[in-house]
């Protein structure tokens, strides 16, 4: 969860000014405010989240205590591959998240036969990732999605039009699932090289290697 701080600082002579911070992790924002409060000169402290909802110091402390037990700080990498010879598609996703002060990586792939193009496979890989987020219990949080498909990323961002009927159906399916989970997506295009993990999972699916794994990570 990311927030920005807005507060009033008053000097010993009574000169006051209002300051607004850059967006940062809520835990970092709380630590900064706690340090500032030691001066006894901080007033009217308010936190704004990504949806512009306001939080008092007490409310944000409580929220951070509760959120630790749920998956948060979620980042998703997805990729899909399509074989014209077999009409098979390989889907892959890698999900990084934090829960109970521990970092995890979830990897998942799937082999499907009903798709007709690489672009459909890319959309299906993202949908696979969303289904995994649902199983994890991710909800009402910002989530970063990284993919190497310019078509999928730009269409979901509204930068490119979607003329193909099948891709339109996939885009609607993605948006419906995102709304159902209540997550706020941030779609980002990355190079194939930077998406190597998800690409490998998609390739392994096409090779008949099914993978579902969860691993605890060091920071």
């Amino acid at each position: 969860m990311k927030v920005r701080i807005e507060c009033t600082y008053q000097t010993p002579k009574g000169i006051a000014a209002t300051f607004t911070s850059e967006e940062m992790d809520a835990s970092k924002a709380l630590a900064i405010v706690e340090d500032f409060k030691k001066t006894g000169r901080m007033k009217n402290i308010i936190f704004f989240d990504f949806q512009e909802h306001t939080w008092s110091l007490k409310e944000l402390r409580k929220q951070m205590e509760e959120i630790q037990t749920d998956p948060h700080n979620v980042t998703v990498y997805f990729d899909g591959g399509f074989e014209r010879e077999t009409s098979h598609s390989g889907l892959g996703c890698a999900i990084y998240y934090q829960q109970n002060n521990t970092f995890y990586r979830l990897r998942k792939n799937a082999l499907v036969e009903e798709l007709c193009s690489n672009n459909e496979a890319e959309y299906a890989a993202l949908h696979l990732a969303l289904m995994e987020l649902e199983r994890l219990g991710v909800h009402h949080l910002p989530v970063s999605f990284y993919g190497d498909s310019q078509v999928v990323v730009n269409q979901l961002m509204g930068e490119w039009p979607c003329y193909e009927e099948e891709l339109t159906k996939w885009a609607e399916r993605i948006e419906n699932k995102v709304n159902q989970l209540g997550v706020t997506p941030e779609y980002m295009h990355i190079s194939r090289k930077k998406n190597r993990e998800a690409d490998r999972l998609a390739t392994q699916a096409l090779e008949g290697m099914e993978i579902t794994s969860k691993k605890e990570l060091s920071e």
Side-chain angles (χ1 to χ4, degrees), residues 138-158:
V138 174
H139 61 92
H140 297 92
L141 290 172
V143 177
S144 299
F145 295 93
Y146 292 88
D148 57 47
S149 169
Q150 291 191 51
V151 171
V152 171
V153 171
N154 284 305
Q155 285 182 347
L156 290 175
M157 290 176 61

Side-chain angles (χ1 to χ4, degrees), residues 181-198:
L181 296 178
V183 301
T184 301
E186 182 182 13
Y187 300 111
M188 284 166 283
H189 178 259
I190 56 175
S191 67
R192 191 179 186 87
K193 183 177 181 181
K194 291 183 178 180
N195 203 30
R196 189 175 297 166
E197 184 174 26

Side-chain angles (χ1 to χ4, degrees), residues 156-192:
L156 290 175
M157 290 176 61
E159 299 292 332
W160 289 6
C162 187
Y163 298 116
E164 298 178 49
E165 182 179 353
E166 289 304 318
L167 298 189
T168 298
K169 290 179 181 179
W170 274 109
E172 291 175 350
R173 193 176 302 172
I174 296 297
E175 291 174 1
N176 289 338
K177 179 57 67 175
V178 163
N179 291 334
Q180 180 187 340
L181 296 178
V183 301
T184 301
E186 182 182 13
Y187 300 111
M188 284 166 283
H189 178 259
I190 56 175
S191 67
R192 191 179 186 87

